[in-house]
Amino acid sequence: MYSVFGLSHDASLLLYALISILGLILLIAKFKMNPFVALIVGAVFMGLISGMPFKDIVKSYQEGVASVLGFIAIVLGLGTMLGKLMAESGGAERIAQTLVRVFGEKNVHWAMMVVALICGIPVFIQVGIVLLFPLVFVIAKHTGTSLIKIGLSLVAGLAVVHSLIPPHPAAMLAVGIFNADVGKTIFLALIVSLPAAAIAGPLYGTWISKRIKVETSSELMEQFTETKDRELPGFGITLFTILLPVILMLLATIVDLILPETNGFRQVVDFIGSPIIALLLALLFSFYSFGYARGFSKQQILKYTNDCLGPVASIILLIGAGGGFNRILTDSGVGDAIAGFAQSAHLSPLVLAFVIAGLIRAAVGSATVAMTTAAGIVAPIAMTMPGVSPELLVLATGAGSIILSHVNDSGFWIVKEYLNLSVPQTLKTWTVMETILGFAAFGMVLLLSVFI
């Protein structure tokens, strides 16, 4: 590790991380380097300048790619097939027509936020994006509403639930670390999440969509909205097919709360309620509900499930490259350096939790890593300062883990590709939305702390 300008080890690490991130953005935005290549270059540069051994740089990067794609590549593949069949059968159009009729064309972005808040409670954010983004394309085409306006409303709902509301893994772990009550945490998280999502999603999405105009990806738009002339499936069977993985995951969560870990029934439910198996079962069911029941042949279903994977190949590569960059930042010690600086600042536990989680999120890109790391740092400090609500500490940590998502976060690249944005446009939309979401949630936490 090479120190510069007489800076300490930790300060030098933070400077190198900043240089790497800014250089990465410059390579992509200014020099038009392919983002996949730029992410690899940025990760290798960070590894070298931070003093990591050569062999560790390669190993760390490969492990980062593998750890991300081991889950997300499967989820994207299964979810994209489900979305394609939903589009081809007319199921997506049925959902869109129903939402437009209930909420009105002017309020479809609010409808997407509500759908995301409901569906996002038991599912990972990546699963939610893959499941629900086909609806964004269909509704945008059906109503002529900006894809950015609807898309940001969707991801705002998913993101706030992902970081704040148990049973998401990071939130549940933070509940355990802070010794908080799960029921109280969920209740307070709902109070915090709704206004935060409204501000960052529909309200900010409406404002920024008037200032950024993009051409929709023709491949994805055609894939998710092209419906042949046939009778549309019913709203009930369509909704059940989409929500089947959500139902299975929610069932697993409920069973986990009431049955011991050694219980055989719980183990079976946990298996079918895991994200990958739940999506697989939903896809297999969709072969009937969106396929055979709509008159499709085996050959047609095979063609649809094959053809839809091409457009997501670049998304998968970018996510993997971002995961490798994330791991290099983590293994080089950037997260530990940020934690050390924040801990010595002597802030109130709520502010400390928010700041540490936010800085770690900006450095390593993972909301889950940021939340769990920050909770572990703040919990011992909070124990020495009585009167602080453990439930609010969970929410403050979660709020901090949302902010400042950028090029080292897989969510950044998923949203960029789905909305067909440039890197600067994604920073102005996704990154700003996430930051508004985190600060709005933290503001609600501070407000609640006056009464709790």
Side-chain angles (χ1 to χ4, degrees):
M1 164 63 197
Y2 313 105
S3 296
V4 291
F5 308 122
L7 295 175
S8 67
H9 173 89
D10 286 353
S12 296
L13 267 180
L14 296 180
L15 177 62
Y16 296 148
L18 180 62
I19 292 171
S20 297
I21 292 166
L22 292 177
L24 176 59
I25 295 172
L26 192 64
L27 284 175
I28 297 170
K30 179 68 175 177
F31 296 101
K32 307 302 179 186
M33 182 178 286
N34 182 286
F36 176 68
V37 178
L39 280 163
I40 299 175
V41 171
V44 171
F45 174 79
M46 179 62 199
L48 291 172
I49 198 171
S50 66
M52 290 179 67
F54 292 149
K55 65 176 182 179
D56 288 354
I57 294 174
V58 175
K59 181 182 178 184
S60 179
Y61 190 82
Q62 288 178 338
E63 289 177 351
V65 173
S67 66
V68 169
L69 291 189
F71 172 72
I72 293 180
I74 301 171
V75 166
L76 274 173
L78 294 173
T80 299
M81 290 181 190
L82 180 59
K84 176 65 172 176
L85 288 173
M86 180 173 65
E88 290 291 342
S89 68
E93 189 170 338
R94 173 65 75 190
I95 294 284
Q97 289 178 0
T98 305
L99 286 176
V100 170
R101 185 169 64 252
V102 172
F103 284 85
E105 288 196 8
K106 293 182 178 180
N107 298 316
V108 288
H109 53 309
W110 290 97
M112 288 309 299
M113 186 198 82
V114 172
V115 169
L117 286 168
I118 295 171
C119 294
I121 289 176
V123 304
F124 289 94
I125 186 171
Q126 296 94 338
V127 178
I129 291 175
V130 171
L131 277 176
L132 297 176
F133 239 98
L135 294 180
V136 173
F137 283 90
V138 175
I139 292 173
K141 182 177 181 179
H142 190 80
T143 64
T145 307
S146 165
L147 204 64
I148 292 175
K149 182 177 178 178
I150 304 175
L152 286 186
S153 299
L154 170 71
V155 292
L158 291 173
V160 76
V161 171
H162 177 77
S163 291
L164 294 187
I165 303 181
H168 278 281
M172 282 300 293
L173 186 58
V175 164
I177 293 172
F178 288 120
N179 198 26
D181 180 87
V182 176
K184 288 181 182 178
T185 303
I186 293 175
F187 175 71
L188 294 175
L190 290 173
I191 296 174
V192 169
S193 298
L194 287 169
I199 293 168
L203 296 180
Y204 178 69
T206 299
W207 183 84
I208 194 64
S209 65
K210 297 175 183 177
R211 290 156 178 82
I212 294 181
K213 306 296 181 184
V214 293
E215 290 293 328
T216 305
S217 169
S218 57
E219 279 187 323
L220 288 175
M221 179 60 83
E222 181 179 339
Q223 176 172 301
F224 290 133
T225 62
E226 189 176 282
T227 303
K228 306 297 184 292
D229 292 330
R230 59 167 56 90
E231 183 183 351
L232 300 181
F235 178 76
I237 190 65
T238 301
L239 193 64
F240 176 76
T241 305
I242 298 172
L243 292 183
L244 181 56
V246 177
I247 294 168
L248 293 175
M249 286 182 246
L250 184 58
L251 180 63
T253 301
I254 295 171
V255 168
D256 286 352
L257 293 175
I258 60 178
L259 292 178
E261 193 172 343
T262 54
N263 183 276
F265 179 72
R266 170 177 168 172
Q267 292 173 2
V268 172
V269 175
D270 282 345
F271 174 70
I272 65 172
S274 62
I276 291 174
I277 300 300
L279 263 174
L280 175 63
L281 293 174
L283 176 62
L284 293 175
F285 180 74
S286 76
F287 289 167
Y288 167 75
S289 62
F290 292 153
Y292 300 125
R294 311 312 317 153
F296 292 149
S297 66
K298 296 189 295 289
Q299 289 75 18
Q300 285 176 299
I301 294 174
L302 176 62
K303 181 179 185 299
Y304 294 147
T305 53
N306 283 340
D307 292 349
C308 69
L309 295 180
V312 301
S314 62
I315 300 177
I316 291 173
L317 284 174
L318 284 174
I319 292 169
F325 186 48
N326 181 337
R327 178 62 68 89
I328 290 288
L329 287 171
T330 303
D331 290 351
S332 65
V334 171
D336 292 337
I338 289 173
F341 275 115
Q343 193 169 353
S344 63
H346 304 297
L347 300 172
S348 86
L350 288 177
V351 175
L352 188 65
F354 177 77
V355 170
I356 292 178
L359 291 174
I360 295 174
R361 160 71 154 173
V364 304
S366 169
T368 301
V369 170
M371 192 168 183
T372 53
T373 304
I377 293 167
V378 175
I381 301 172
M383 290 178 65
T384 66
M385 304 176 70
V388 181
S389 163
E391 291 78 26
L392 291 184
L393 279 170
V394 173
L395 300 184
T397 310
S401 75
I402 299 173
I403 67 173
L404 299 174
S405 166
H406 55 90
V407 294
N408 61 350
D409 177 21
S410 61
F412 179 95
W413 297 104
I414 295 176
V415 172
K416 174 191 177 298
E417 294 302 306
Y418 268 128
L419 295 180
N420 201 33
L421 300 169
S422 66
V423 168
Q425 288 173 332
T426 314
L427 291 169
K428 294 175 184 176
T429 52
W430 163 263
T431 302
V432 173
M433 182 279 294
E434 287 274 271
T435 304
I436 292 173
L437 188 63
F439 275 99
F442 184 58
M444 287 297 299
V445 170
L446 292 180
L447 183 62
L448 287 174
S449 70
V450 175
F451 306 100
I452 299 175

